[in-house]
Amino acid sequence: LRRLVPLQRGLYEDYVANFWCASHVVFRWKQRFSNAALVRMCGGATLAAALPSAVHQALRPSPEGLAYAMANSAWAFFLFAFQVHEKAVLLPLLPLS
């Protein structure tokens, strides 16, 4: 399970262009919070970013809305998830293509 979800590595390894790496210059996330707190913050931010389009799709389903919800979910995971790989930016492009 540790190899599948490498939480001990930290918020990010290399400089991936996600929210946590970009805002680390100002907020210094790794110095202010523990690793466990950062995991919870990443989970909450990812859920908060993906939830609006998922709720909209659940209330008013449509094929176009499904594509937008899938793209939004992929962008939410790329931008706010814990330990994102740089190739993960390709995933949001699938529903839009």
Side-chain angles (χ1 to χ4, degrees):
L1 188 59
R2 287 183 185 171
R3 294 190 70 146
L4 185 61
V5 185
L7 297 177
Q8 70 277 6
R9 288 186 188 171
L11 189 57
Y12 57 86
E13 277 186 27
D14 294 327
Y15 291 101
V16 178
N18 66 5
F19 171 78
W20 305 110
C21 184
S23 62
H24 181 72
V25 175
V26 176
F27 293 109
R28 303 285 182 207
W29 299 107
K30 291 181 180 181
Q31 285 83 22
R32 288 187 182 189
F33 299 101
S34 68
N35 204 29
L38 288 172
V39 169
R40 288 191 299 274
M41 287 171 46
C42 289
T46 303
L47 184 62
L51 198 59
S53 63
V55 169
H56 185 268
Q57 180 61 17
L59 296 177
R60 296 187 183 138
S62 70
E64 184 180 347
L66 178 62
Y68 284 128
M70 290 171 58
N72 184 50
S73 172
W75 278 116
F77 274 91
F78 175 74
L79 290 173
F80 299 108
F82 194 87
Q83 196 56 248
V84 175
H85 194 273
E86 57 270 5
K87 290 184 188 102
V89 75
L90 298 174
L91 187 61
L93 300 177
L94 289 176
L96 298 177
S97 59

PDB file of all heavy atoms in Angstrom, residues 8 13 18 24 34 52 65 67 69 72 77 88:
ATOM      1  N   GLN A   8       4.661   9.258   2.375  1.00  0.00           N
ATOM      2  CA  GLN A   8       5.868   9.638   3.098  1.00  0.00           C
ATOM      3  C   GLN A   8       6.811  10.494   2.257  1.00  0.00           C
ATOM      4  O   GLN A   8       7.723  11.110   2.780  1.00  0.00           O
ATOM      5  CB  GLN A   8       6.596   8.398   3.629  1.00  0.00           C
ATOM      6  CG  GLN A   8       7.228   7.544   2.566  1.00  0.00           C
ATOM      7  CD  GLN A   8       6.275   6.572   1.908  1.00  0.00           C
ATOM      8  OE1 GLN A   8       5.081   6.587   2.168  1.00  0.00           O
ATOM      9  NE2 GLN A   8       6.808   5.720   1.040  1.00  0.00           N
ATOM     10  N   GLU A  13       7.549  16.129  -5.046  1.00  0.00           N
ATOM     11  CA  GLU A  13       8.976  15.813  -5.133  1.00  0.00           C
ATOM     12  C   GLU A  13       9.695  16.838  -5.994  1.00  0.00           C
ATOM     13  O   GLU A  13      10.538  17.568  -5.545  1.00  0.00           O
ATOM     14  CB  GLU A  13       9.158  14.427  -5.738  1.00  0.00           C
ATOM     15  CG  GLU A  13       9.026  13.319  -4.736  1.00  0.00           C
ATOM     16  CD  GLU A  13       9.359  11.992  -5.352  1.00  0.00           C
ATOM     17  OE1 GLU A  13      10.133  11.951  -6.319  1.00  0.00           O
ATOM     18  OE2 GLU A  13       8.847  10.990  -4.865  1.00  0.00           O
ATOM     19  N   ASN A  18       1.401  22.414 -10.083  1.00  0.00           N
ATOM     20  CA  ASN A  18       0.087  22.357  -9.462  1.00  0.00           C
ATOM     21  C   ASN A  18      -0.017  23.465  -8.407  1.00  0.00           C
ATOM     22  O   ASN A  18       0.916  24.225  -8.180  1.00  0.00           O
ATOM     23  CB  ASN A  18      -0.200  20.976  -8.877  1.00  0.00           C
ATOM     24  CG  ASN A  18       0.699  20.606  -7.726  1.00  0.00           C
ATOM     25  OD1 ASN A  18       1.511  21.400  -7.273  1.00  0.00           O
ATOM     26  ND2 ASN A  18       0.559  19.393  -7.245  1.00  0.00           N
ATOM     27  N   HIS A  24       3.668  27.373  -2.805  1.00  0.00           N
ATOM     28  CA  HIS A  24       4.675  27.096  -1.776  1.00  0.00           C
ATOM     29  C   HIS A  24       5.673  28.255  -1.650  1.00  0.00           C
ATOM     30  O   HIS A  24       6.224  28.488  -0.581  1.00  0.00           O
ATOM     31  CB  HIS A  24       5.415  25.796  -2.089  1.00  0.00           C
ATOM     32  CG  HIS A  24       6.437  25.427  -1.075  1.00  0.00           C
ATOM     33  ND1 HIS A  24       6.102  24.961   0.172  1.00  0.00           N
ATOM     34  CD2 HIS A  24       7.788  25.483  -1.101  1.00  0.00           C
ATOM     35  CE1 HIS A  24       7.208  24.738   0.862  1.00  0.00           C
ATOM     36  NE2 HIS A  24       8.238  25.039   0.112  1.00  0.00           N
ATOM     37  N   SER A  34       2.206  19.653   9.160  1.00  0.00           N
ATOM     38  CA  SER A  34       2.741  18.289   9.153  1.00  0.00           C
ATOM     39  C   SER A  34       2.287  17.581   7.885  1.00  0.00           C
ATOM     40  O   SER A  34       1.372  18.024   7.188  1.00  0.00           O
ATOM     41  CB  SER A  34       2.247  17.525  10.377  1.00  0.00           C
ATOM     42  OG  SER A  34       0.854  17.293  10.275  1.00  0.00           O
ATOM     43  N   PRO A  52     -18.543  20.705  -7.297  1.00  0.00           N
ATOM     44  CA  PRO A  52     -19.598  21.478  -7.968  1.00  0.00           C
ATOM     45  C   PRO A  52     -20.067  20.886  -9.298  1.00  0.00           C
ATOM     46  O   PRO A  52     -21.268  20.776  -9.544  1.00  0.00           O
ATOM     47  CB  PRO A  52     -18.968  22.856  -8.171  1.00  0.00           C
ATOM     48  CG  PRO A  52     -17.945  22.954  -7.109  1.00  0.00           C
ATOM     49  CD  PRO A  52     -17.416  21.564  -6.942  1.00  0.00           C
ATOM     50  N   GLY A  65     -22.570  17.696 -20.054  1.00  0.00           N
ATOM     51  CA  GLY A  65     -22.239  17.920 -18.647  1.00  0.00           C
ATOM     52  C   GLY A  65     -21.338  16.830 -18.094  1.00  0.00           C
ATOM     53  O   GLY A  65     -20.485  17.100 -17.252  1.00  0.00           O
ATOM     54  N   ALA A  67     -19.063  15.190 -19.812  1.00  0.00           N
ATOM     55  CA  ALA A  67     -17.707  15.468 -20.303  1.00  0.00           C
ATOM     56  C   ALA A  67     -17.062  16.588 -19.482  1.00  0.00           C
ATOM     57  O   ALA A  67     -15.887  16.494 -19.105  1.00  0.00           O
ATOM     58  CB  ALA A  67     -17.744  15.844 -21.782  1.00  0.00           C
ATOM     59  N   ALA A  69     -17.851  17.437 -16.373  1.00  0.00           N
ATOM     60  CA  ALA A  69     -17.612  16.937 -15.017  1.00  0.00           C
ATOM     61  C   ALA A  69     -16.362  16.058 -14.968  1.00  0.00           C
ATOM     62  O   ALA A  69     -15.580  16.135 -14.016  1.00  0.00           O
ATOM     63  CB  ALA A  69     -18.825  16.159 -14.516  1.00  0.00           C
ATOM     64  N   ASN A  72     -13.383  18.432 -15.300  1.00  0.00           N
ATOM     65  CA  ASN A  72     -13.199  19.180 -14.059  1.00  0.00           C
ATOM     66  C   ASN A  72     -12.625  18.299 -12.957  1.00  0.00           C
ATOM     67  O   ASN A  72     -11.755  18.734 -12.191  1.00  0.00           O
ATOM     68  CB  ASN A  72     -14.532  19.786 -13.605  1.00  0.00           C
ATOM     69  CG  ASN A  72     -14.354  20.643 -12.391  1.00  0.00           C
ATOM     70  OD1 ASN A  72     -13.493  21.508 -12.352  1.00  0.00           O
ATOM     71  ND2 ASN A  72     -15.156  20.395 -11.374  1.00  0.00           N
ATOM     72  N   PHE A  77      -7.971  16.896  -9.597  1.00  0.00           N
ATOM     73  CA  PHE A  77      -6.964  15.965  -9.083  1.00  0.00           C
ATOM     74  C   PHE A  77      -5.561  16.396  -9.476  1.00  0.00           C
ATOM     75  O   PHE A  77      -4.631  16.253  -8.689  1.00  0.00           O
ATOM     76  CB  PHE A  77      -7.248  14.537  -9.566  1.00  0.00           C
ATOM     77  CG  PHE A  77      -8.200  13.813  -8.671  1.00  0.00           C
ATOM     78  CD1 PHE A  77      -9.559  13.867  -8.913  1.00  0.00           C
ATOM     79  CD2 PHE A  77      -7.739  13.111  -7.576  1.00  0.00           C
ATOM     80  CE1 PHE A  77     -10.447  13.218  -8.084  1.00  0.00           C
ATOM     81  CE2 PHE A  77      -8.619  12.463  -6.733  1.00  0.00           C
ATOM     82  CZ  PHE A  77      -9.982  12.514  -6.993  1.00  0.00           C
ATOM     83  N   ALA A  88       0.279  13.601 -15.325  1.00  0.00           N
ATOM     84  CA  ALA A  88      -1.142  13.588 -14.979  1.00  0.00           C
ATOM     85  C   ALA A  88      -1.907  14.720 -15.638  1.00  0.00           C
ATOM     86  O   ALA A  88      -3.129  14.684 -15.693  1.00  0.00           O
ATOM     87  CB  ALA A  88      -1.309  13.666 -13.455  1.00  0.00           C
TER      88      ALA A  88
END
